[in-house]
Amino acid sequence: MAVLLVACCLLAVSGLHSARAAEDDAQAAVASAGTIAYFEAGPYWEFELLYTEVLAALERMGVRDKVHLPPHLHSSPGWGADPDVYLAEAERLMADPSVDAIISMGTEATKALLAKNNGRTSIVAIDVADPVRAGFIDRDTGLGAPNLIIQHTPDKWHRVFVLFHEALPFSRLGIMYSDTPEGLWYSNVPEAREVARERGFELVEYDRLDREESPESCAEGVRSLISQGVDALYISALNCFDWTQANPQPMLDSLHGKGIRTFARDGTVHVRRGVLMGLSTLDYVPLAEFYAAGIAELLGLMPEGFMPSEYRYRPKITLNLDTASALKINVPLVLLISADEIFDSSLAAVRNATVSQ
């Protein structure tokens, strides 16, 4: 009996040691991983899409389980928040010693983080419309803060307006934005002004959107631009055209009912719902791999021999032939041939490139 009791005690002690060893192993695994915070000014469909693609890229690299994204470090104050709220959130995330890097979605969040930059915590800035004009990076060198990871394609938006005007010419292009530096940048107003001067069309600006870019504010902007006789409208990254948050269809119906051509900088998501033409300006998979590789490298998790896809900007043309027909537009053959996606309810899709949305 005494021998049996000793054996049982030894097994119990052994089990306790095993449990402690497993706990120690789990703690060591957590310690060896990286903690990532997430910061956006407010929700936007493209933020969610890119975030999902970055996580998928980390999964393909085999390091997703090494990256921790705690819920309490996921911050989205909302588009109507005071700028001081963004700064306070940026300061909170920057001051947290557990945070190795912060995924920063969009211009507003990145601006706040750079204002509160501690110089140590890496800022992975994604979906920033114009980092040069925002002052995040130098125009000539492309360099910014040492702890900033960002992808920038020079003259991207300039080429977008040139392509739209060459493909389906217009005389008076309407554009809407809130009258703030950020509103100008992510509506690409400076580039629109430059191309208007170069190519000789008139840019009709509506600068009275509210900071939230609410549906009511945008609807008033559309009415104003229609009354000023625009024959085309440029749809930028506006919250009121975010189909996951609002219903832009009445605005599109009003524009097309007046024969006004619509051009969206973000192609498929808008064109499949009736916008005349758009450009898929982001190739999400290689772009996500660029950022995932940056995260893995700064955390020391880069798999040996892993080569992320090279990200190169190439505009992809998206057309809606139903809208073209309703607007009585004869789409040039060269445009049909060069289009990457065509939506036409009367025919099978000529091309239907797969886009993660």
Side-chain angles (χ1 to χ4, degrees):
M1 178 67 73
V3 173
L4 180 60
L5 182 59
V6 170
C8 289
C9 289
L10 288 173
L11 287 172
V13 171
S14 175
L16 181 60
H17 285 169
S18 297
R20 286 177 177 171
E23 184 178 346
D24 290 343
D25 289 344
Q27 289 177 349
V30 170
S32 66
T35 298
I36 309 293
Y38 176 95
F39 184 31
E40 63 181 19
Y44 187 63
W45 70 270
E46 197 165 62
F47 294 171
E48 182 178 352
L49 187 154
L50 281 165
Y51 182 58
T52 301
E53 290 291 348
V54 169
L55 296 185
L58 290 169
E59 187 73 40
R60 290 192 297 273
M61 295 168 66
V63 300
R64 172 64 185 87
D65 60 335
K66 297 287 188 180
V67 178
H68 297 293
L69 299 145
H72 73 281
L73 295 176
H74 187 110
S75 180
S76 180
W79 292 108
D82 189 273
D84 287 342
V85 174
Y86 302 146
L87 290 172
E89 278 299 280
E91 188 170 26
R92 176 179 76 88
L93 297 175
M94 277 284 172
D96 192 321
S98 71
V99 175
D100 297 295
I102 305 170
I103 292 177
S104 174
M105 283 291 181
T107 302
E108 293 269 16
T110 304
K111 178 183 177 182
L113 286 168
L114 288 173
K116 297 296 182 179
N117 193 0
N118 61 19
R120 301 185 306 274
T121 306
S122 294
I123 301 169
V124 184
I126 304 176
D127 215 15
V128 174
D130 195 335
V132 170
R133 292 186 190 275
F136 301 163
I137 62 174
D138 180 77
R139 179 182 297 275
D140 297 322
T141 66
L143 298 177
N147 59 329
L148 176 67
I149 298 174
I150 194 168
Q151 196 284 328
H152 172 56
T153 302
D155 300 323
K156 176 169 64 177
W157 305 120
H158 187 281
R159 283 183 273 169
V160 165
F161 287 106
V162 170
L163 197 154
F164 281 149
H165 191 248
E166 285 181 343
L168 295 171
F170 44 80
S171 299
R172 307 191 79 221
L173 177 67
I175 193 167
M176 302 190 297
Y177 58 95
S178 61
D179 192 15
T180 64
E182 294 76 21
L184 286 163
W185 298 328
Y186 58 70
S187 284
N188 315 120
V189 177
E191 291 85 357
R193 290 170 177 168
E194 291 171 2
V195 178
R197 287 193 296 269
E198 292 170 6
R199 300 188 63 85
F201 63 84
E202 183 179 354
L203 188 68
V204 184
E205 301 181 23
Y206 182 87
D207 63 358
R208 297 191 297 279
L209 295 186
D210 53 30
R211 286 188 63 248
E212 298 88 345
E213 298 159 4
S214 66
E216 297 78 16
S217 177
C218 288
E220 180 58 36
V222 167
R223 286 192 290 269
S224 175
L225 292 172
I226 290 174
S227 71
Q228 295 180 69
V230 299
D231 60 351
L233 177 76
Y234 174 67
I235 299 170
S236 64
L238 298 175
N239 291 323
C240 55
F241 279 92
D242 180 351
W243 292 87
T244 67
Q245 305 291 325
N247 178 20
Q249 194 61 55
M251 290 188 287
L252 294 180
D253 292 342
S254 296
L255 291 159
H256 295 154
K258 297 292 185 180
I260 296 171
R261 304 176 178 196
T262 47
F263 298 90
R265 89 173 198 190
D266 302 312
T268 304
V269 69
H270 294 304
V271 176
R272 68 153 47 117
R273 290 174 168 87
V275 168
L276 172 62
M277 180 179 172
L279 295 179
S280 298
T281 54
L282 295 177
D283 196 351
Y284 296 112
V285 172
L287 183 62
E289 287 192 356
F290 168 84
Y291 284 110
I295 291 170
E297 186 171 9
L298 70 89
L299 295 178
L301 300 174
M302 180 68 78
E304 187 176 350
F306 179 81
M307 293 293 291
S309 302
E310 184 179 358
Y311 176 72
R312 289 184 178 178
Y313 168 66
R314 186 181 76 84
K316 295 182 178 180
I317 298 172
T318 308
L319 287 172
N320 189 309
L321 295 187
D322 292 327
T323 302
S325 176
L327 295 175
K328 298 181 172 55
I329 295 173
N330 292 320
V331 179
L333 180 60
V334 66
L335 183 57
L336 288 172
I337 293 172
S338 61
D340 294 88
E341 291 178 305
I342 292 177
F343 295 94
D344 185 346
S345 62
S346 66
L347 299 170
V350 176
R351 292 179 188 166
N352 188 15
T354 301
V355 177
S356 300
Q357 298 195 50

